[in-house]
Amino acid sequence: MSRMPPQGGDLSRLRQLNALSLIKVLRGAEAATLSALAGRTGLSRPSTKEVIDELTGLGWVEEVPPAPGTMGRPARRYRFRADGGHLMGVDVGAHNVRAALADLDGNVVAETRRRTRPDAPVADRLAAIEQAAAACLDLGGLTMADLWTVAVGTTGLVTPEGRVIMSASVPAWRDLDLAGLLGGMFPCRVLVENDSRLAALAETRRGVARNARDVVFLHIGRRMGTGLIIDGRLHRGFGAAAGEIVMLPEAHWVTAPDDLADPAVVPTGVPPEDAAGFTLAAARNNDPAALEAVGRFADKLSIGTAAAILLLDPEIVVLGGGFSRSADVLLPLLRSRLERVCLRMPELRASTLGDECVVLGAIDYAIEHLDRLFFAPDAPVLRPPVRPAVSTAVPDPA
Amino acid sequence: MSRMPPQGGDLSRLRQLNALSLIKVLRGAEAATLSALAGRTGLSRPSTKEVIDELTGLGWVEEVPPAPGTMGRPARRYRFRADGGHLMGVDVGAHNVRAALADLDGNVVAETRRRTRPDAPVADRLAAIEQAAAACLDLGGLTMADLWTVAVGTTGLVTPEGRVIMSASVPAWRDLDLAGLLGGMFPCRVLVENDSRLAALAETRRGVARNARDVVFLHIGRRMGTGLIIDGRLHRGFGAAAGEIVMLPEAHWVTAPDDLADPAVVPTGVPPEDAAGFTLAAARNNDPAALEAVGRFADKLSIGTAAAILLLDPEIVVLGGGFSRSADVLLPLLRSRLERVCLRMPELRASTLGDECVVLGAIDYAIEHLDRLFFAPDAPVLRPPVRPAVSTAVPDPA
DNA sequence: CTACTAATGATGGACTCCTTAATAACTCTC
DNA sequence: GAGAGTTATTAAGGAGTCCATCATTAGTAG
């Protein structure tokens, strides 16, 4: 009957649970005193001390100077050593490859970008990834050996095993064992996931949808995409094909972006990648033809979005992707259309993370992967912070 | 960050975890020997014995005669006392009210049904519920006081608090505090949930979708409905309005059933409730007009279904509801339409639970509620099997 | 310098689990 | 039907983890 928290066991298991619970409390928080930690874990002071000592010895926790100016004897303070390990997020797009290096708390330490062309051959794009990663490590003063996990977000359909089936925006990205190829590039576990899904994750972890349990993320741009967070977790589906509402014929999402590149609105000479921006700007200035074009786009956008809202009843819908820079124009149009259809209207917000959305999501995804490794019920024995072994076996027990 | 299994604590907490883990192993399984239990929980034999003794003392577990004919000394055998408590599932429909009494393993002990009319006033339908429940208890030789939880599935939109906003098939069911009204009828916790959702739950727990993690359940009948199981759990959504794809205008689900009552196919004189059955039977016999009508229905059905599949990528789609009795006609039509659109085609099966679907789902829902109560991380202290207190407070921490 | 405050460190007791070894109950073979 | 073989039960000793309590320590306030 469903997955089960109540995992008892040995005495040492209890100690381990308490240690993990302590790490959990320390994570992300500022330095804390023993009393505070004892209060938050429910353990007694002496036990907390003992566990903290063990964790300090292992290198998970470090002591920081006591806070001055308090009454009584100054309390020793401890904090989680987020620099005990590092992970990397990579965003592989049609025009850019981004890499970001982060510590175990998800704080970005260094960031790089390499340009590529949509029609670049596979080898070139892989080289760009390698260069971006190497430069990023350099900037952060680290080496490959310091990486615990790499998570990669890419355009296209990604299988649970990390193969790219095909990508509309990167023609060469087709039936490609990306996880395998990158597995040879990095000496650690490499996770590959669809970019829209990772963007959705970033928005729920640190963006406008922070702390929401059910989120629909819409990537609206020259290519459309969706990412779903359900019950606080990234939803992949049985064959990792979730979120592909783009393919619903009745929603016309495949051709919808063309509405914003209507020759009746956009003068010849405007490069294709700026056409939508032009139309949206014109609509902002009440150009009638542009308004009509944007209206057509919003009509189509609203169909797929309504389907997602009616099915999932999310707390919030987040708009990301290139077009979301003109959310001031799009949001009201979308909202009015959705209100006609939706039983319960969710919050509707534009992304604030912008271009970094996918790399940040990749980092958050890597962190969740590590959390699963460390907090799993069938637990890792308490051990010093070292890079987890590269288990090429199971892709990801969700 | 996310909900956390690693909940450590006291020594007694460890004992409790082990006891719960033991109950979990015993649940649903046949009687087992100590060695078997020790093996499955990971505990040592002496510890297992001690915990079992405690649970036996509390009344959760009972000893059964040893299995004869084995080598060596016969092992004592223990089993979970499923009759330690009872719960009731109720299905409130337009034409029928069903009630079923079950033990803690979900085995149905007794079952009753009362007829009502769709236009019956609220008081009449409530009386039918009370009568069905009373008769059911009688049949099972129990009283109200033996009930731990009652779960009710009803047509219509149900809020997280158990109010019925409105129901298309039961006009009187409108802005009604059903949970409150029934709370006065039963001396225990009463849960109210949409019937299609409960049917979806039953199919995943004991029907054709057994053990699937992601399931889309389609209720197809004179009223359409959906229930979603995501990651093994019933998905309700932020405002408990999930699964209402019926409302998507482009899918035409509201009028779709009318296709099967086309006057060009159904002779006058056939009562409205049999019209669809007539059309489907005619289609089975290759009546051209009927085939066309069923084709139109399948077209509409496939739109909403495709939306759900593309978004969620379920492992399996289950067809339930009245029309699913003609699944042999409908399934192939639906499948061929979906195959044109879906990226990954899920399994497509007809329900086998039939009319009992909702009551069984209600029972499973009640069991999950109890499981949450007993296995929650902030745990109940180990206690004898008694009916949990009626906490009118929190509706349901999903 | 003294009183007050709050954290630290050390001791003893309680509880849970494990390992090991002796005992008990039943089947099978001769 | 007695003895060998097999498996479960029972009991005792040991180790690990947590808690409560109390004397001690290192600051601030007046």
Side-chain angles (χ1 to χ4, degrees):
Chain A
M1 13 220 118
S2 77
R3 71 211 116 91
M4 258 288 107
Q7 181 89 3
D10 208 335
L11 280 300
S12 62
R13 169 70 178 161
L14 182 60
R15 161 59 63 96
Q16 183 183 30
L17 285 174
N18 284 329
L20 291 175
S21 136
L22 207 41
I23 287 186
K24 181 124 206 78
V25 167
L26 280 164
R27 266 286 209 56
E30 279 310 299
T33 68
L34 273 184
S35 318
L37 293 172
R40 296 189 36 102
T41 55
L43 291 184
S44 72
R45 258 188 67 92
S47 301
T48 309
K49 175 73 162 70
E50 202 172 334
V51 177
I52 279 286
D53 284 347
E54 191 174 353
L55 287 173
T56 308
L58 288 170
W60 284 106
V61 168
E62 67 184 348
E63 194 176 343
V64 299
T70 68
M71 270 296 230
R73 178 171 179 171
R76 307 170 76 165
R77 293 188 309 162
Y78 303 89
R79 88 166 156 218
F80 180 68
R81 281 191 57 182
D83 61 341
H86 288 88
L87 20 94
M88 181 171 279
V90 180
D91 171 13
V92 182
H95 299 275
N96 289 292
V97 170
R98 292 167 190 278
L101 187 64
D103 63 23
L104 293 181
D105 272 344
N107 300 312
V108 174
V109 174
E111 207 167 357
T112 55
R113 194 176 65 143
R114 286 286 179 284
R115 304 202 66 94
T116 55
R117 294 211 321 280
D119 56 355
V122 169
D124 287 11
R125 186 164 267 103
L126 289 176
I129 295 173
E130 187 152 28
Q131 287 166 21
C136 200
L137 284 168
D138 244 29
L139 263 176
L142 298 177
T143 69
M144 285 281 187
D146 297 310
L147 287 180
W148 283 20
T149 305
V150 174
V152 179
T154 177
T155 45
L157 247 119
V158 181
T159 70
E161 297 78 29
R163 290 188 75 87
V164 180
I165 305 284
M166 62 122 216
S167 159
S169 48
V170 178
W173 240 219
R174 147 167 246 100
D175 197 29
L176 190 76
D177 181 14
L178 191 54
L181 289 167
L182 297 179
M185 190 181 292
F186 297 98
C188 62
R189 186 86 161 76
V190 177
L191 312 168
V192 179
E193 188 45 278
N194 172 271
D195 51 2
S196 294
R197 289 201 195 129
L198 296 186
L201 191 60
E203 292 293 350
T204 9
R205 293 286 176 271
R206 41 177 116 197
V208 292
R210 197 159 36 246
N211 298 327
R213 300 201 67 73
D214 297 302
V215 180
V216 169
F217 176 87
L218 303 176
H219 177 100
I220 50 175
R222 295 176 68 201
R223 292 287 162 191
M224 310 279 281
T226 336
L228 306 178
I229 305 291
I230 298 181
D231 207 17
R233 298 155 47 96
L234 188 60
H235 181 69
R236 301 156 57 96
F238 182 67
E244 291 295 339
I245 191 74
V246 192
M247 304 300 290
L248 188 74
E250 285 74 14
H252 306 286
W253 275 24
V254 176
T255 56
D258 299 340
D259 285 329
L260 301 183
D262 191 332
V265 179
V266 183
T268 54
V270 173
E273 62 266 30
D274 297 337
F278 184 94
T279 307
L280 287 161
R284 187 179 290 115
N285 296 326
N286 290 315
D287 175 299
L291 275 173
E292 203 212 302
V294 175
R296 283 200 305 274
F297 177 75
D299 283 339
K300 294 171 184 170
L301 181 60
S302 74
I303 297 176
T305 309
I309 293 173
L310 287 169
L311 267 174
L312 298 175
D313 186 25
E315 181 172 353
I316 176 170
V317 174
V318 180
L319 261 66
F323 297 177
S324 72
R325 275 190 286 270
S326 304
D328 59 314
V329 178
L330 276 172
L331 264 185
L333 296 177
L334 181 60
R335 178 175 288 118
S336 69
R337 282 161 176 75
L338 290 175
E339 275 169 351
R340 282 179 225 148
V341 178
C342 293
L343 275 171
R344 196 193 64 77
M345 189 65 191
E347 212 179 323
L348 214 59
R349 306 270 293 270
S351 161
T352 51
L353 298 175
D355 292 338
E356 313 224 321
C357 216
V358 178
V359 254
L360 292 177
I363 288 168
D364 293 333
Y365 190 57
I367 289 179
E368 295 205 347
H369 171 74
L370 287 173
D371 278 6
R372 270 196 300 273
L373 244 55
F374 286 115
F375 296 109
D378 59 327
V381 198
L382 214 50
R383 59 178 176 187
V386 289
R387 187 176 60 197
V390 191
S391 76
T392 45
V394 182
D396 238 73
Chain B
M1 15 220 116
S2 78
R3 72 212 117 92
M4 257 288 107
Q7 182 88 0
D10 207 334
L11 281 300
S12 63
R13 168 72 178 159
L14 181 60
R15 162 58 63 96
Q16 183 183 29
L17 285 174
N18 284 330
L20 290 175
S21 139
L22 206 43
I23 287 185
K24 179 124 205 80
V25 167
L26 281 164
R27 264 285 210 57
E30 278 310 298
T33 68
L34 272 185
S35 318
L37 293 172
R40 296 187 40 102
T41 56
L43 291 185
S44 71
R45 253 190 70 90
S47 301
T48 309
K49 174 75 161 69
E50 202 172 332
V51 177
I52 280 285
D53 284 347
E54 191 173 353
L55 287 173
T56 308
L58 288 170
W60 284 106
V61 168
E62 66 184 348
E63 194 175 344
V64 298
T70 69
M71 270 294 233
R73 177 173 178 170
R76 307 170 75 166
R77 293 189 307 163
Y78 303 88
R79 90 169 154 214
F80 179 68
R81 282 189 57 181
D83 60 342
H86 291 273
L87 19 93
M88 182 172 280
V90 180
D91 171 11
V92 182
H95 298 275
N96 290 292
V97 170
R98 290 165 191 279
L101 187 63
D103 63 22
L104 293 180
D105 272 344
N107 301 312
V108 173
V109 174
E111 206 166 357
T112 54
R113 193 177 66 144
R114 286 287 178 282
R115 304 201 67 92
T116 56
R117 295 211 321 278
D119 55 354
V122 168
D124 287 12
R125 187 165 267 101
L126 289 176
I129 295 174
E130 188 152 28
Q131 287 165 23
C136 201
L137 283 168
D138 244 29
L139 263 175
L142 297 177
T143 68
M144 285 280 187
D146 296 311
L147 289 180
W148 284 20
T149 305
V150 173
V152 179
T154 176
T155 45
L157 248 119
V158 181
T159 69
E161 296 78 28
R163 291 188 75 86
V164 180
I165 303 284
M166 62 122 217
S167 159
S169 48
V170 178
W173 241 220
R174 147 168 247 100
D175 196 29
L176 191 74
D177 180 14
L178 192 54
L181 289 167
L182 297 179
M185 190 180 294
F186 297 99
C188 62
R189 187 87 162 78
V190 177
L191 312 167
V192 178
E193 188 43 281
N194 172 272
D195 52 2
S196 295
R197 290 202 194 127
L198 296 185
L201 191 60
E203 293 293 350
T204 23
R205 292 287 174 268
R206 41 176 114 197
V208 292
R210 199 162 33 250
N211 299 327
R213 301 201 66 72
D214 296 301
V215 180
V216 170
F217 175 86
L218 303 177
H219 177 100
I220 49 175
R222 296 175 70 200
R223 292 287 163 189
M224 312 278 281
T226 335
L228 307 177
I229 304 291
I230 298 181
D231 207 17
R233 298 154 48 95
L234 187 60
H235 180 69
R236 304 158 54 96
F238 182 67
E244 291 296 338
I245 191 74
V246 192
M247 304 300 291
L248 189 73
E250 285 74 14
H252 305 287
W253 275 24
V254 175
T255 56
D258 299 341
D259 286 328
L260 300 184
D262 191 329
V265 179
V266 182
T268 54
V270 173
E273 61 265 32
D274 297 337
F278 183 95
T279 307
L280 288 161
R284 187 180 290 117
N285 296 326
N286 290 314
D287 175 298
L291 275 173
E292 203 214 301
V294 175
R296 283 200 306 275
F297 177 75
D299 284 338
K300 294 171 185 171
L301 181 59
S302 75
I303 297 176
T305 309
I309 293 173
L310 287 169
L311 266 174
L312 297 175
D313 187 26
E315 181 173 354
I316 176 169
V317 173
V318 180
L319 260 65
F323 297 177
S324 71
R325 274 191 288 269
S326 305
D328 60 313
V329 179
L330 276 172
L331 264 185
L333 297 178
L334 180 59
R335 179 176 286 118
S336 69
R337 282 160 176 77
L338 289 175
E339 274 168 351
R340 284 178 221 145
V341 177
C342 293
L343 276 171
R344 194 193 65 76
M345 191 62 192
E347 212 179 322
L348 214 58
R349 306 268 293 271
S351 161
T352 52
L353 298 176
D355 292 338
E356 313 226 320
C357 217
V358 178
V359 253
L360 292 177
I363 288 168
D364 293 333
Y365 190 58
I367 290 179
E368 295 205 347
H369 170 74
L370 287 173
D371 278 5
R372 271 196 300 276
L373 244 54
F374 286 115
F375 295 109
D378 59 329
V381 198
L382 212 50
R383 60 178 175 187
V386 288
R387 188 176 59 196
V390 191
S391 75
T392 44
V394 182
D396 237 72

